[in-house]
C-alpha cells in the first residue's frame, strides 16, 4: 500500500483503539466521570487509573517514537512550537473543564457514545461543534 493510503488508515486504527479503550474502561459512562470529580462525596478513582495508564504509555511512547528521524508515514513530526499562554487557550481550557464537569463527557467519550445517543449527549455535541466554529471565527494571535 502507498503511504498516502496507509496514513489515514493508521489514523482510523488509532481512533478505533482509543474508542475501544474508552468503552472497555467504562469512560463512556458520564456517571463514572462525575463520580471521579465528586471528591467530597462518593469518589470513584477509576478515572485516575485510566489517566495514569495513559500518562505512562504516552511518556514511554513519545521517548521511543521521537528517537526516529521522522514518522513512518510523514516527512517530519508536527510538534507544537508555541509555549505562551493566551486568553484563547485559558478560555478554551476553562470551557472544556466546565463542560466536562457538567456533562461527564469529554470529546472522545462523547463521540464514542454516539451509538447510545441521548438528549444530554446530543446537547453536548451541538455545544461542542458550535464551540469549534466559534473558536475558528475568533482572530488568532500569531
Amino acid at each position: 500500500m502507498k503511504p498516502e493510503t496507509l496514513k489515514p488508515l493508521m489514523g482510523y486504527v488509532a481512533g478505533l483503539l482509543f474508542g475501544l479503550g474508552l468503552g472497555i474502561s467504562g469512560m463512556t459512562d458520564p456517571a463514572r466521570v462525575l463520580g471521579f470529580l465528586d471528591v467530597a462525596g462518593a469518589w470513584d478513582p477509576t478515572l485516575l487509573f485510566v489517566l495514569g495508564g495513559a500518562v505512562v504509555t504516552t511518556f514511554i511512547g513519545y521517548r521511543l517514537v521521537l528517537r526516529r528521524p521522522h514518522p513512518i508515514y510523514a516527512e517530519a513530526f508536527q510538534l507544537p512550537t508555541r509555549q505562551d499562554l493566551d486568553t484563547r487557550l485559558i478560555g478554551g481550557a476553562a470551557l472544556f473543564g466546565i463542560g466536562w464537569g457538567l456533562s461527564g463527557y469529554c470529546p472522545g467519550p462523547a463521540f464514542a457514545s454516539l451509538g447510545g445517543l441521548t438528549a444530554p449527549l446530543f446537547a453536548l455535541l451541538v455545544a461542542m461543534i458550535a464551540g469549534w466554529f466559534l473558536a475558528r471565527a475568533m482572530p488568532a494571535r500569531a
Side-chain angles (χ1 to χ4, degrees):
M1 287 185 134
K2 297 179 182 178
E4 305 87 43
T5 306
L6 287 174
K7 186 176 178 181
L9 178 64
M10 292 297 108
Y12 175 77
V13 169
L16 183 64
L17 285 172
F18 180 70
L20 285 171
L22 288 172
I24 290 169
S25 65
M27 291 302 114
T28 58
D29 178 9
R32 188 174 300 260
V33 174
L34 293 173
F36 172 75
L37 297 173
D38 185 13
V39 293
W43 186 63
D44 180 358
T46 310
L47 182 58
L48 183 65
F49 294 108
V50 173
L51 289 172
V55 168
V56 169
T57 302
T58 302
F59 182 82
I60 294 168
Y62 263 81
R63 272 139 192 83
L64 294 175
V65 168
L66 292 177
R67 288 182 182 171
R68 301 179 57 84
H70 58 83
I72 296 172
Y73 301 116
E75 297 291 323
F77 290 104
Q78 296 179 3
L79 301 172
T81 56
R82 286 186 59 176
Q83 296 183 355
D84 60 321
L85 300 176
D86 62 1
T87 54
R88 287 178 54 137
L89 178 64
I90 302 295
L95 285 174
F96 174 87
I98 291 167
W100 190 37
L102 290 174
S103 69
Y105 285 111
C106 65
F111 282 111
S113 300
L114 278 175
L117 189 63
T118 61
L121 176 58
F122 180 74
L124 171 87
L125 291 169
V126 169
M128 186 169 56
I129 291 168
W132 284 337
F133 283 107
L134 179 62
R136 295 188 88 178
M138 292 177 66
R141 203 180 68 175

